[in-house]
Amino acid sequence: MAARPADMRRLEQVFLVNEPRVELRVFSGAEDLARAAAAEFSTRARTAVAQRGRFIVALPGGSTPNRFYALLAGGRGAGTGRIPWAKIHVFWGDERLVPPGHVDSNFRNVNEALLVQVPIPQANVHRIRTEGRSPAGAAALYEQEVRRFFTLPAGRFPRFDLVVLGLGADGHTASLFPGSDVLREDTRLVVAPLVSKLGTHRITFTLPVFNNARTIMFLVSGGQKSEALARALHGGVGSDALPARLVRPRDGTLIWLVDRAAARKLRNASLGEAAPEARRLNPSRT
Ligand code: 6PG
């Protein structure tokens, strides 16, 4: 397919990775990745509100999503179209054990980059309350809030409309780190693992919560993530326990939005040329 010059900068390749509802989209750079993420968020928000009356999303920390947050804050001006903020509920996939005003707070990061700039009701902002609590206490409180919000019967998991995740260079996602016992958690919604390499606790949703979502969207940018991304997608020695590889929606869609630098170790994943799998699985997309 010869790409028209005007599209070249925005050229993205969409191809299905040999699993029914997994999509990998490679962008020429972080800006186009962020724009695609903002478009996905706003489209899914409008659809969810139209179908179910509300849109429930879990957002990540880290630096990669910051441009995405800025574009959502820019709203129509940033090309996202109308975003129904009054019907959107925001949760966090994980949090650091710091007060909400701390520079490392994931709540503070999203609040300043996005939430204070859009008409979302305060009651729709569901942050992880860490202040004055033990790690286990903060996790238990958040689990209670999530169970109450979703009116969850015992043993059931919440179903988020969209979970947005990042990827660490070691393959961690949210605060689920390689080798952590919490990767095997199959009952609790929220846990407070001690992350030995960081020397601190984190508060994080568990894999069953993420894997019960309708849509999971990874945002991955930069060459330093290329090894972890290749292992998450292609597997390989010792990759089966890679936290990001364990993110598999049970009955939902998994979307990887990555830039060219992050995609450089992916087999056949280069801009402008569809991968063999894509041609075999989806002739119409190439
Ligand atoms: C956090 C995140 C974490 C993050 C990755 C990637 O609290 O830090 O939830 O999982 O997404 O570490 O971080 P960067 O986007 O900064 O590379």
Side-chain angles (χ1 to χ4, degrees):
M1 173 179 72
R4 297 180 302 285
D7 294 344
M8 187 50 88
R9 206 174 68 78
R10 283 187 171 283
L11 184 64
E12 64 174 86
Q13 196 69 103
V14 177
F15 43 81
L16 296 172
V17 179
N18 52 20
E19 275 188 30
R21 287 166 64 180
V22 178
E23 219 177 295
L24 170 69
R25 297 163 68 182
V26 183
F27 296 88
S28 38
E31 177 64 19
D32 289 340
L33 188 164
R35 286 184 178 282
E40 280 291 339
F41 180 102
S42 50
T43 304
R44 289 175 190 279
R46 288 189 289 272
T47 305
V49 168
Q51 292 175 351
R52 294 179 291 279
R54 63 187 186 175
F55 179 60
I56 312 167
V57 60
L59 296 176
S63 56
T64 304
N66 288 341
R67 182 65 184 140
F68 158 65
Y69 295 144
L71 288 165
L72 291 179
R76 285 175 195 265
T80 65
R82 187 186 67 77
I83 300 178
W85 287 108
K87 304 281 186 188
I88 296 180
H89 286 265
V90 172
F91 290 77
W92 276 258
D94 71 324
E95 185 56 282
R96 291 87 180 274
L97 208 65
V98 294
H102 191 283
V103 67
D104 291 342
S105 161
N106 287 347
F107 161 73
R108 175 180 164 177
N109 181 39
V110 178
N111 198 43
E112 291 180 354
L114 172 59
L115 302 178
V116 295
Q117 308 183 44
V118 295
I120 188 169
Q122 268 311 307
N124 292 18
V125 176
H126 308 271
R127 71 178 177 86
I128 300 174
R129 297 179 184 283
T130 56
E131 58 276 27
R133 293 181 180 82
S134 68
L141 180 70
Y142 203 50
E143 174 141 353
Q144 277 169 25
E145 175 168 355
V146 172
R147 285 194 176 284
R148 198 173 40 247
F149 176 84
F150 285 91
T151 58
L152 280 182
R156 299 288 295 277
F157 293 96
R159 186 157 169 79
F160 282 92
D161 293 304
L162 177 65
V163 167
V164 184
L165 291 170
L167 177 70
D170 61 357
H172 81 261
T173 189
S175 286
L176 299 170
F177 283 80
S180 175
D181 294 346
V182 300
L183 294 174
R184 288 186 291 281
E185 178 61 48
D186 60 3
T187 308
R188 288 176 292 169
L189 311 185
V190 188
V191 289
L194 172 61
V195 183
S196 47
K197 68 188 289 184
L198 302 176
T200 182
H201 286 83
R202 288 277 189 96
I203 314 295
T204 184
F205 277 136
T206 56
L207 283 167
V209 171
F210 292 138
N211 288 339
N212 201 40
R214 293 175 198 281
T215 302
I216 299 173
M217 180 165 76
F218 275 96
L219 310 184
V220 186
S221 172
Q224 76 280 14
K225 305 290 178 69
S226 57
E227 181 65 30
L229 180 62
R231 294 179 65 209
L233 280 172
H234 297 318
V237 180
S239 298
D240 287 347
L242 200 75
R245 191 164 167 75
L246 299 171
V247 175
R248 293 235 168 284
R250 206 177 37 76
D251 171 21
T253 302
L254 176 58
I255 303 173
W256 290 88
L257 301 185
V258 310
D259 65 13
R260 183 188 287 173
R264 70 188 163 86
K265 290 189 178 168
L266 294 182
R267 288 198 293 270
N268 302 317
S270 58
L271 280 181
E273 189 189 323
E277 291 111 320
R279 265 197 290 280
R280 182 172 56 76
L281 285 167
N282 205 31
S284 66
R285 283 262 179 122
T286 54

